[in-house]
mmCIF file of all heavy atoms in Angstrom:
data_model
loop_
_atom_site.group_PDB
_atom_site.id
_atom_site.type_symbol
_atom_site.label_atom_id
_atom_site.label_comp_id
_atom_site.label_asym_id
_atom_site.label_seq_id
_atom_site.Cartn_x
_atom_site.Cartn_y
_atom_site.Cartn_z
ATOM 1 N N GLN A 66 6.919 -1.776 0.600
ATOM 2 C CA GLN A 66 6.297 -2.854 1.359
ATOM 3 C C GLN A 66 5.892 -4.000 0.437
ATOM 4 O O GLN A 66 4.758 -4.469 0.462
ATOM 5 C CB GLN A 66 5.123 -2.310 2.173
ATOM 6 C CG GLN A 66 5.568 -1.236 3.148
ATOM 7 C CD GLN A 66 4.423 -0.520 3.835
ATOM 8 O OE1 GLN A 66 3.254 -0.703 3.525
ATOM 9 N NE2 GLN A 66 4.767 0.326 4.795
ATOM 10 N N PHE A 67 6.813 -4.422 -0.408
ATOM 11 C CA PHE A 67 6.701 -5.593 -1.277
ATOM 12 C C PHE A 67 5.793 -5.414 -2.498
ATOM 13 O O PHE A 67 5.441 -6.386 -3.146
ATOM 14 C CB PHE A 67 6.269 -6.834 -0.483
ATOM 15 C CG PHE A 67 7.064 -7.020 0.772
ATOM 16 C CD1 PHE A 67 6.467 -6.902 2.004
ATOM 17 C CD2 PHE A 67 8.426 -7.280 0.706
ATOM 18 C CE1 PHE A 67 7.203 -7.055 3.169
ATOM 19 C CE2 PHE A 67 9.173 -7.435 1.860
ATOM 20 C CZ PHE A 67 8.566 -7.323 3.097
ATOM 21 N N GLY A 68 5.380 -4.205 -2.835
ATOM 22 C CA GLY A 68 4.537 -4.011 -4.010
ATOM 23 C C GLY A 68 4.371 -2.542 -4.338
ATOM 24 O O GLY A 68 5.214 -1.707 -4.009
ATOM 25 N N LEU A 69 3.240 -2.234 -4.993
ATOM 26 C CA LEU A 69 2.914 -0.839 -5.308
ATOM 27 C C LEU A 69 2.699 -0.051 -4.028
ATOM 28 O O LEU A 69 2.174 -0.578 -3.042
ATOM 29 C CB LEU A 69 1.643 -0.777 -6.154
ATOM 30 C CG LEU A 69 1.762 -1.269 -7.589
ATOM 31 C CD1 LEU A 69 0.385 -1.456 -8.200
ATOM 32 C CD2 LEU A 69 2.582 -0.303 -8.410
ATOM 33 N N SER A 70 3.075 1.203 -4.067
ATOM 34 C CA SER A 70 2.887 2.042 -2.882
ATOM 35 C C SER A 70 1.398 2.246 -2.616
ATOM 36 O O SER A 70 0.557 2.095 -3.501
ATOM 37 C CB SER A 70 3.570 3.400 -3.079
ATOM 38 O OG SER A 70 2.829 4.195 -3.990
ATOM 39 N N ARG A 71 1.121 2.569 -1.395
ATOM 40 C CA ARG A 71 -0.219 2.974 -0.970
ATOM 41 C C ARG A 71 -0.087 4.391 -0.410
ATOM 42 O O ARG A 71 1.008 4.844 -0.099
ATOM 43 C CB ARG A 71 -0.751 2.049 0.123
ATOM 44 C CG ARG A 71 -0.912 0.617 -0.326
ATOM 45 C CD ARG A 71 -1.472 -0.240 0.821
ATOM 46 N NE ARG A 71 -1.581 -1.616 0.417
ATOM 47 C CZ ARG A 71 -2.571 -2.125 -0.287
ATOM 48 N NH1 ARG A 71 -3.557 -1.357 -0.669
ATOM 49 N NH2 ARG A 71 -2.587 -3.400 -0.618
ATOM 50 N N LYS A 72 -1.201 5.051 -0.273
ATOM 51 C CA LYS A 72 -1.156 6.416 0.274
ATOM 52 C C LYS A 72 -0.427 6.421 1.623
ATOM 53 O O LYS A 72 0.382 7.298 1.904
ATOM 54 C CB LYS A 72 -2.566 6.982 0.404
ATOM 55 C CG LYS A 72 -2.581 8.472 0.600
ATOM 56 C CD LYS A 72 -3.959 9.041 0.378
ATOM 57 C CE LYS A 72 -3.833 10.540 0.207
ATOM 58 N NZ LYS A 72 -5.018 11.146 -0.353
ATOM 59 N N SER A 73 -0.693 5.410 2.457
ATOM 60 C CA SER A 73 -0.054 5.344 3.776
ATOM 61 C C SER A 73 1.455 5.166 3.669
ATOM 62 O O SER A 73 2.204 5.789 4.428
ATOM 63 C CB SER A 73 -0.668 4.212 4.607
ATOM 64 O OG SER A 73 -0.483 2.972 3.968
ATOM 65 N N SER A 74 1.930 4.341 2.729
ATOM 66 C CA SER A 74 3.384 4.150 2.611
ATOM 67 C C SER A 74 4.057 5.387 2.024
ATOM 68 O O SER A 74 5.190 5.707 2.374
ATOM 69 C CB SER A 74 3.719 2.901 1.795
ATOM 70 O OG SER A 74 3.392 3.052 0.432
ATOM 71 N N ARG A 75 3.332 6.103 1.150
ATOM 72 C CA ARG A 75 3.894 7.356 0.623
ATOM 73 C C ARG A 75 3.975 8.406 1.723
ATOM 74 O O ARG A 75 4.953 9.147 1.819
ATOM 75 C CB ARG A 75 3.065 7.851 -0.569
ATOM 76 C CG ARG A 75 3.188 6.946 -1.791
ATOM 77 C CD ARG A 75 2.576 7.558 -3.034
ATOM 78 N NE ARG A 75 1.160 7.825 -2.935
ATOM 79 C CZ ARG A 75 0.195 6.961 -3.238
ATOM 80 N NH1 ARG A 75 0.495 5.745 -3.656
ATOM 81 N NH2 ARG A 75 -1.077 7.302 -3.145
ATOM 82 N N ARG A 76 2.961 8.487 2.547
ATOM 83 C CA ARG A 76 2.981 9.453 3.664
ATOM 84 C C ARG A 76 4.116 9.113 4.631
ATOM 85 O O ARG A 76 4.821 10.004 5.104
ATOM 86 C CB ARG A 76 1.648 9.442 4.409
ATOM 87 C CG ARG A 76 0.514 9.985 3.588
ATOM 88 C CD ARG A 76 0.214 11.430 3.979
ATOM 89 N NE ARG A 76 -0.867 11.907 3.142
ATOM 90 C CZ ARG A 76 -0.781 12.958 2.373
ATOM 91 N NH1 ARG A 76 0.304 13.680 2.349
ATOM 92 N NH2 ARG A 76 -1.804 13.340 1.634
ATOM 93 N N GLN A 77 4.283 7.818 4.922
ATOM 94 C CA GLN A 77 5.364 7.398 5.812
ATOM 95 C C GLN A 77 6.712 7.770 5.211
ATOM 96 O O GLN A 77 7.592 8.273 5.906
ATOM 97 C CB GLN A 77 5.297 5.889 6.057
ATOM 98 C CG GLN A 77 6.379 5.392 6.988
ATOM 99 C CD GLN A 77 6.301 3.882 7.177
ATOM 100 O OE1 GLN A 77 5.470 3.193 6.592
ATOM 101 N NE2 GLN A 77 7.179 3.369 8.015
ATOM 102 N N GLY A 78 6.867 7.554 3.897
ATOM 103 C CA GLY A 78 8.102 7.933 3.224
ATOM 104 C C GLY A 78 8.350 9.423 3.280
ATOM 105 O O GLY A 78 9.476 9.877 3.466
ATOM 106 N N ALA A 79 7.290 10.201 3.154
ATOM 107 C CA ALA A 79 7.416 11.661 3.220
ATOM 108 C C ALA A 79 7.840 12.103 4.611
ATOM 109 O O ALA A 79 8.648 13.025 4.763
ATOM 110 C CB ALA A 79 6.102 12.321 2.836
ATOM 111 N N ASP A 80 7.313 11.435 5.620
ATOM 112 C CA ASP A 80 7.664 11.776 6.998
ATOM 113 C C ASP A 80 9.134 11.495 7.296
ATOM 114 O O ASP A 80 9.735 12.150 8.144
ATOM 115 C CB ASP A 80 6.788 10.997 7.988
ATOM 116 C CG ASP A 80 5.339 11.459 7.968
ATOM 117 O OD1 ASP A 80 5.062 12.552 7.429
ATOM 118 O OD2 ASP A 80 4.483 10.715 8.493
ATOM 119 N N ASP A 81 9.716 10.516 6.583
ATOM 120 C CA ASP A 81 11.112 10.131 6.804
ATOM 121 C C ASP A 81 12.084 10.876 5.898
ATOM 122 O O ASP A 81 13.256 10.546 5.856
ATOM 123 C CB ASP A 81 11.277 8.625 6.550
ATOM 124 C CG ASP A 81 10.526 7.778 7.550
ATOM 125 O OD1 ASP A 81 10.194 8.288 8.641
ATOM 126 O OD2 ASP A 81 10.263 6.601 7.236
ATOM 127 N N HIS A 82 11.604 11.882 5.161
ATOM 128 C CA HIS A 82 12.424 12.544 4.157
ATOM 129 C C HIS A 82 12.497 14.041 4.427
ATOM 130 O O HIS A 82 11.485 14.677 4.713
ATOM 131 C CB HIS A 82 11.806 12.282 2.769
ATOM 132 C CG HIS A 82 12.606 12.786 1.625
ATOM 133 N ND1 HIS A 82 13.921 12.436 1.432
ATOM 134 C CD2 HIS A 82 12.283 13.603 0.596
ATOM 135 C CE1 HIS A 82 14.361 13.022 0.336
ATOM 136 N NE2 HIS A 82 13.392 13.735 -0.193
#
Side-chain angles (χ1 to χ4, degrees):
Q66 300 171 353
F67 312 114
L69 289 167
S70 73
R71 297 181 182 278
K72 195 166 196 165
S73 60
S74 69
R75 292 190 299 272
R76 292 260 179 237
Q77 181 181 2
D80 291 344
D81 294 340
H82 186 55

